[in-house]
Structure formats: C-alpha cells, structure tokens
Amino acid sequence: MSAVIHPHGHVAGDHDGHDDHHGAPVGWRRWVFATNHKDIGTLYLLFAFTMFMVGGVLALMIRAELFQPGLQFVNPELFNQLTTMHGLIMVFGAIMPAFVGFANWMVPLQVGAADMAFARMNNFSFWLLIPAALMLVSGFFLPGGAPSGGWTLYAPLTLQMGPSMDSGIFALHLLGASSIMGSINIIVTILNMRAPGMTLMKMPMFVWTWLITAYLLIAVMPVLAGAITMTLTDRHFGTTFFNPAGGGDPVMFQHIFWFFGHPEVYIMILPAFGIVSQIVPAFARKKLFGYSSMVYATSSIAILSFIVWAHHMYATGMPVTGQLFFMYATMLISVPTGVKVFNWVATMWRGSMTFETPMLFAVGFIFVFTMGGFTGLILSMAPIDIQLQDTYYVVAHFHYVLVAGSLFSMFAGFYYWSPKWTGVMYNETRGKIHFWLTMVAFNVTFFPMHFLGLAGMPRRYADYPMQFADFNAIASVGAFVFGLTQVYFFFFVVLPVMLGRGEKAPQRPWDGAEGLEWEVPSPAPFHTFENPPRLNADATKVLA
C-alpha cells in the first residue's frame, strides 16, 4: 500500500480492506460497544456529571434542612443518610470517574498513542460503573433506607445498618474494580505507547500526574476492598474484626480505611494539578516554571501520602509519640504542595497573560486550593485538631480542597480542551458568567463554615442552637446559587457545544498551548496517530 503520513498521523493513499473499521460506528452500538478512547472518555464525563447532579441534589437537601434551626424537612435518620450518600456519590461517582474521563480523552492524544492499551477492558471498566451507581443509589429504596454511617463507613455503625449497607459495599467493590482496571490501562498506555522521542521527562504534566495517580489507585483500592469485605463478614458470617464483643477493634477499621483514604484524597487532586499545569503556561505564554521539580513534587506527595493516614484519628486516644509523628509527616507533605503553588505563580510572573475562562478557573483553583491547603496545615496540628475534629471547620477544609480543587480544575479542563473534543468554541461570555457565579457562590457557601467550626458546631447534625443560625442561612443561600449555576453550565455551555452550536474551533484555539493534542484537527478525528508521529526535540510538535 502506498501511503503518506499526515502530520496528525492519518494515512492517506490507496484504500485497503480495513477502511470499514476507520469510520465511527453509528447509533447505540457506537456507545454500548465503544472501544475508542474518545467515546469512552465522553461516557465517563457524562456519567460523572450525572452523578455530580445526583450528589448535588442530596447536598441541597442537607442545606435546605440546615437553613434555619429546628427540623424542617427531614428527620435526623434521613439527614444522616443524605450526608453519607452525598459523600459516597461525590467521591466515587463524580470526581474519580470524571478524572478517568479526562485521562481517557487526553492521555493517548498527549503521548501520541493510537488509543488506550486495552480497549475492551476500557469499555468494561466504564460499564461496571452503571450497575454500581444504581446499586449505590438504590439504598434509599431498600428497607431501613440508605446507609447512614457517614461516607467513611465507620464500624460499629456499619455493622448495625440495614440491607442497603450490603448493596453499598458491593457497589464500592465494583467501583474499585473499575478504578483498578482503568489505572492498569493508563499505566500501560503511558509506559508502552508513547511516541518515539517522548522520554518520561518530556511528557506533559497531566500525563505525569495521571501516571502517579494510577499507581496510587492500584496500591490503595484493594485496601478499601479489604476493609469493606471485613465489614461484610462481620455483618453476616460471624467474624468479629471490628466488633469489641468478640474481641474485635473498631479503631482498626479506621486505620485500614484511612490507609486507603489519605492517598485517596491525593488521587482526587493530583490530576487536578496536572490540568492546571497545562493551562497556566498556555495562557501565560511561557514554559512551565520548574518542570522537573513539579514531577518530583508530585512523586513526593504520592509517597508521603502513605505515612500520614492517622492524622484523621488524633481523637481516638493515640499515644503522644504517634500524634507527633503524624503531625510532622503531615506538615512535611505541605512542602511539595507549596513547590507546586510557587511554580504556578512563577510561571505567571511576567508572562503575557490573558484571562479566558480556562485561565480564570485555573487561577481561581490556585487561590482557593491554597486556602484549603492552609486550613489543612492548621488541622495537621494535633492539639488544634482535637478541638476542631468533626466540626464544620473540617467540612470547610475538605470542600475547599475537593470542590475548589478537583471541580474547578475539571471546569478549567473542560473549557480548555472542549474545542478539541467537539470542534466548536464554547460561548466565552457564558463561560465567564459560570466562573464568577461559581466562585462567589462557592465562597459564600463554605467560608462561613470555618467560623461555625471554630465556634464548635459539629457536623452530621440535623439541628443546631440559635447562635449558629446566621452563618448557616448564608451558607444555604450560597449552596443553592452554586447548584443552580452548575445547571446553567450544563444547559447553556455544555449542551450547545455538544450539539455543535457555536463558531468552529481552529486547530489551535489558544496561542500559548503546547502539546501533541493541538497537532490534530478540531474536532479530533475518531482515529488519531494511527502511525507513531515523529516529534521535535522537546516532544511538543509533530514533524511533517
């Protein structure tokens, strides 16, 4: 076959017998049997947004109840079900699948691979999410209602729940299996399928952060599976791992859970660091400051995340020596995080910056994530944490890191890459409306919670005394504005782009953007890089 390789890796020339495989399949088969990384990435993102909306509705029910003192809408038992399910759905149903969606879309494009390494396993890992999500949410309709022991699933509460606890445990097993398969796929794709000339230290930061995240997932998801399986056997098979009546120890559950849970919070933020590290240089029109230090900082965060788990457990009667170790280790982890923030600011320093929506969300991310980091540093100190443990101060801290961290970076990533995904430019004015409403409403919702926590308001309570009324009312108003803003985002930003309404996106919509994803047309063809592209010296451009 005589052929010419186009810059974006397509083969032109004589047709051969395989041409029927090159177009996109049509109809429902395209999505049910999808093996193309772009289609699977789209499915992940749509699934995650759906779950984000479900989790958001539960959050608004919580805030409606807390709008004023007294019991308004739900009883305390249902309130605990709402807080538990909100946490589980947002962590395992929204944030993690969304980042896997970004990885599916962008990793092959950024490393010059034709697709993910294991295309059918990729399909399987997505479709596991649907029954898992249905099983998780169905808890509300089972006898006794949804699980209500908190998203951390602490024993002995989980040993006393109704049948929804079992369906929840099975759902988490499926979600974990999906994450492990997705991680194996990402690691093999990155290590084995990079274009010739792209060494590890020339990979885009988003690829680096996902490589490290995937190793974290493979390391800790089996730990969670072990903890919830032990819970299951305690519930039904007569074991007493966590039941003191049979010689078990409920605090052991906390150790096992947080050994998973602390790396898990970095699983939810490292890909966000990667997205922001792509966007800031593009809109500052400079190279990323301190690329290698960013890679080492990301690796350090991942390694240190395994030795800080018990800072969640200062109030369990830990010996002072243990408290001191976990306190210093936790403070240490703020150093590589500080390196990252410094590098982003240094990248922006004296750059010729413009503030399109992706950059607004990226700068918003840096500002608000740094605030969340500082409150984390405060909580790392054992004497302070014992006062603030299980108060709204902790709720404020982790929402600053997870909502303003993970979620803001995803919005930034959507605005940055959607022209490449869809071939259509989003509406810039609507994007900016989305940013400012989100930013203001987020801070109105969660900033007052710091003061509530400092004043001693415990979390997971459906009612509270009068002195907490004002800040709770403000937070509830902010929460409803925040929620409605995301509905606006879907109907007025995402849908028009998905339906192809808007001006056509150029191949390289952002002046300063570098990387192989900008070397293919917009929208990215169904098959890209069918032949490995030849790269320039810094692996950011394809040579003709």
Side-chain angles (χ1 to χ4, degrees):
M1 170 185 169
S2 63
V4 179
I5 302 176
H6 285 316
H8 50 79
H10 273 296
V11 178
D14 302 341
H15 295 294
D16 63 11
H18 297 291
D19 270 7
D20 55 334
H21 297 300
H22 285 210
V26 291
W28 59 269
R29 280 184 178 80
R30 169 174 179 178
W31 302 102
V32 173
F33 303 130
T35 50
N36 184 283
H37 71 98
K38 301 178 184 75
D39 284 354
I40 294 174
T42 304
L43 286 169
Y44 265 108
L45 289 168
L46 287 171
F47 170 83
F49 192 81
T50 306
M51 295 304 280
F52 170 57
M53 283 305 182
V54 173
V57 167
L58 303 185
L60 292 185
M61 291 170 74
I62 293 167
R63 287 312 324 169
E65 177 55 56
L66 293 174
F67 181 66
Q68 57 187 32
L71 294 178
Q72 270 69 244
F73 304 105
V74 299
N75 60 26
E77 177 65 15
L78 178 56
F79 186 86
N80 285 344
Q81 294 175 22
L82 292 173
T83 52
T84 303
M85 294 299 288
H86 167 70
L88 289 171
I89 286 168
M90 287 303 202
V91 169
F92 297 104
I95 293 176
M96 289 169 69
F99 278 135
V100 178
F102 275 100
N104 261 296
W105 248 107
M106 298 317 302
V107 166
L109 283 180
Q110 291 191 319
V111 301
D115 206 307
M116 296 294 274
F118 306 115
R120 286 187 178 84
M121 186 168 85
N122 204 10
N123 174 288
F124 185 45
S125 64
F126 170 75
W127 285 109
L128 273 182
L129 297 178
I130 305 297
L134 291 172
M135 241 185 302
L136 192 58
V137 177
S138 70
F140 281 109
F141 309 101
L142 292 174
S148 55
W151 84 273
T152 50
L153 306 173
Y154 275 6
L157 292 170
T158 45
L159 308 182
Q160 302 158 6
M161 300 275 132
S164 64
M165 193 67 236
D166 304 318
S167 69
I169 286 171
F170 192 34
L172 288 179
H173 273 120
L174 290 181
L175 292 163
S178 167
S179 292
I180 289 169
M181 286 193 288
S183 299
I184 292 168
N185 220 337
I186 288 164
I187 289 170
V188 176
T189 304
I190 294 170
L191 295 184
N192 286 359
M193 298 177 68
R194 301 193 308 283
M198 182 176 282
T199 59
L200 285 174
M201 292 307 279
K202 288 179 184 171
M203 296 195 310
M205 269 314 299
F206 180 68
V207 177
W208 254 117
T209 53
W210 244 114
L211 179 64
I212 291 165
T213 302
Y215 276 115
L216 278 179
L217 272 164
I218 289 173
V220 301
M221 288 316 283
V223 177
L224 174 69
I228 57 179
T229 305
M230 289 153 87
T231 303
L232 196 68
T233 59
D234 272 14
R235 284 169 58 82
H236 297 293
F237 301 107
T239 58
T240 52
F241 292 113
F242 311 128
N243 185 353
D249 182 6
V251 176
M252 180 172 74
F253 178 89
Q254 296 190 29
H255 278 291
I256 301 169
F257 179 87
W258 285 116
F259 189 78
F260 147 81
H262 203 80
E264 165 69 14
V265 302
Y266 292 103
I267 286 163
M268 292 189 283
I269 202 65
L270 290 181
F273 292 166
I275 292 174
V276 171
S277 300
Q278 301 287 136
I279 292 171
V280 170
F283 291 93
R285 290 159 181 81
K286 282 171 66 185
K287 287 267 189 224
L288 180 67
F289 181 90
Y291 171 90
S292 54
S293 67
M294 284 295 232
V295 173
Y296 296 131
T298 310
S299 311
S300 312
I301 289 170
I303 293 160
L304 289 170
S305 73
F306 284 101
I307 61 162
V308 298
W309 78 89
H311 66 207
H312 297 268
M313 299 170 54
Y314 289 141
T316 56
M318 193 188 301
V320 173
T321 321
Q323 289 186 5
L324 285 171
F325 169 79
F326 286 106
M327 187 163 112
Y328 294 140
T330 305
M331 289 179 181
L332 190 63
I333 212 166
S334 66
V335 176
T337 312
V339 168
K340 287 180 163 298
V341 174
F342 176 84
N343 285 3
W344 290 323
V345 175
T347 305
M348 291 188 274
W349 175 250
R350 303 189 74 173
S352 68
M353 291 207 292
T354 53
F355 291 96
E356 287 87 347
T357 312
M359 186 61 163
L360 283 176
F361 269 108
V363 173
F365 165 92
I366 294 167
F367 169 65
V368 192
F369 174 79
T370 304
M371 284 169 60
F374 277 127
T375 55
L377 200 52
I378 290 164
L379 288 168
S380 73
M381 297 177 217
I384 300 178
D385 181 83
I386 286 168
Q387 298 296 313
L388 295 175
Q389 191 256 348
D390 255 345
T391 68
Y392 267 79
Y393 192 90
V394 179
V395 178
H397 156 68
F398 70 72
H399 281 89
Y400 263 77
V401 177
L402 279 182
V403 181
S406 304
L407 192 65
F408 276 29
S409 75
M410 288 182 213
F411 287 144
F414 169 82
Y415 285 109
Y416 183 59
W417 283 312
S418 65
K420 184 56 63 190
W421 298 346
T422 62
V424 170
M425 292 302 291
Y426 63 88
N427 183 307
E428 189 65 57
T429 309
R430 291 176 183 176
K432 285 184 169 154
I433 290 170
H434 175 224
F435 168 74
W436 286 111
L437 280 174
T438 298
M439 187 71 169
V440 172
F442 168 79
N443 282 289
V444 169
T445 305
F446 293 104
F447 200 74
M449 292 185 189
H450 293 101
F451 302 117
L452 287 169
L454 288 165
M457 179 173 166
R459 61 180 175 168
R460 302 193 183 121
Y461 277 48
D463 194 7
Y464 53 86
M466 200 60 217
Q467 66 260 37
F468 301 136
D470 292 348
F471 278 146
N472 267 302
I474 292 168
S476 289
V477 170
F480 274 88
V481 175
F482 185 87
L484 290 171
T485 303
Q486 309 326 315
V487 176
Y488 168 87
F489 165 67
F490 183 74
F491 283 105
F492 293 96
V493 180
V494 178
L495 265 188
V497 165
M498 284 172 65
L499 299 172
R501 293 182 192 144
E503 59 183 86
K504 193 171 173 347
Q507 177 172 322
R508 194 184 292 269
W510 318 114
D511 295 346
E514 281 198 333
L516 299 189
E517 70 263 42
W518 307 111
E519 299 286 304
V520 303
S522 300
F526 192 69
H527 294 288
T528 36
F529 302 123
E530 292 180 10
N531 297 289
R534 287 174 54 235
L535 306 181
N536 64 350
D538 61 357
T540 56
K541 286 194 168 60
V542 177
L543 300 173

